[in-house]
Amino acid sequence: SRPFQRPINVHMNPATRYFASLSLFTIGSLTLATPPEAPSHLRVNDVVAPTGTCGNPYFGWHVNDPDPNEIQTRYQIRVASSPNKLSSDSPDIWDSKPVTDTSQNHVTYTGSALKADHPYYWQVRTWDKDGSVSPWSAPSTFGVGLLTNGDWSGAYWIRRESKDEDDYTYFRKQVTLPTVPIIRATAYVSAAHQYELFINGTLAGEGQAYHHPQYQYYRAFDVTSQLHA
């Protein structure tokens, strides 16, 4: 909206004229608050679309509101086993319902137990200080990792006896995949202490794998695109 355009004849001293002009501009510039836009930059455990999360992950997002001096007053998160269940408004894993809270990160999952080595889909929406709600965000994903020792059943350490501090081991295994589309493939890697993972000669992952006397850490990599029938 713009200030009034109609000519006005006012007879008063200069100071009063200035005040009258300012008042007209303020009245003519009033605007209504707009609802927030859909949240973006969805994160799980501070990572966008991570692979190998824990069983009680936490969520985060960016609030998008075109109005000045706005603040999130509520949020709602829903998690589903497929994108279709989100688009059909039937989340089957968790629906937080509207929660009165300004938090936009470290929002902990409190739904039913998540399955190890399983993908999930989620989205969020927010409310502003006027009670207006945003659209749902675009769906994002996260993959839960291996949660217990039992999930590692069948795995064993690749090692050889050596006293050489600079020793390293190459291990190679060939696998023939079936002639069907590969929906999902995850590589779980743990090492003491450095490793490089190659698939068909292409680097798929590398890094350090820390450990303590009672714990051994691992990394998870989504390698779906690197595998072919």
Side-chain angles (χ1 to χ4, degrees), residues 188-215:
Y188 297 96
V189 186
S190 186
H193 295 271
Q194 305 284 339
Y195 64 85
E196 290 181 332
L197 171 67
F198 292 83
I199 296 179
N200 294 330
T202 301
L203 184 66
E206 62 180 339
Q208 298 173 322
Y210 302 103
H211 73 92
H212 298 288
Q214 71 274 35
Y215 297 118

Side-chain angles (χ1 to χ4, degrees), residues 68-143:
N69 303 317
E70 269 293 1
I71 187 172
Q72 171 192 297
T73 57
R74 288 191 292 173
Y75 67 80
Q76 182 179 2
I77 301 172
R78 55 188 187 183
V79 180
S81 59
S82 71
N84 291 337
K85 290 188 179 296
L86 289 180
S87 60
S88 62
D89 294 327
S90 54
D92 57 335
I93 303 301
W94 182 48
D95 186 344
S96 71
K97 305 299 182 181
V99 178
T100 301
D101 195 345
T102 60
S103 299
Q104 300 162 27
N105 199 22
H106 290 263
V107 177
T108 305
Y109 173 82
T110 58
S112 56
L114 299 175
K115 297 179 181 179
D117 190 33
H118 201 81
Y120 293 95
Y121 305 84
W122 73 287
Q123 58 186 175
V124 60
R125 63 178 177 176
T126 62
W127 282 257
D128 64 12
K129 64 184 181 183
D130 300 310
S132 298
V133 62
S134 75
W136 285 104
S137 69
S140 188
T141 65
F142 66 97

Side-chain angles (χ1 to χ4, degrees), residues 1 11 17 20 22 99 104-105 128-129 139 144 186 191 207 215 222:
S1 58
H11 300 283
R17 260 202 315 273
L22 179 61
V99 178
Q104 300 162 27
N105 199 22
D128 64 12
K129 64 184 181 183
V144 177
T186 306
Y215 297 118
D222 184 347

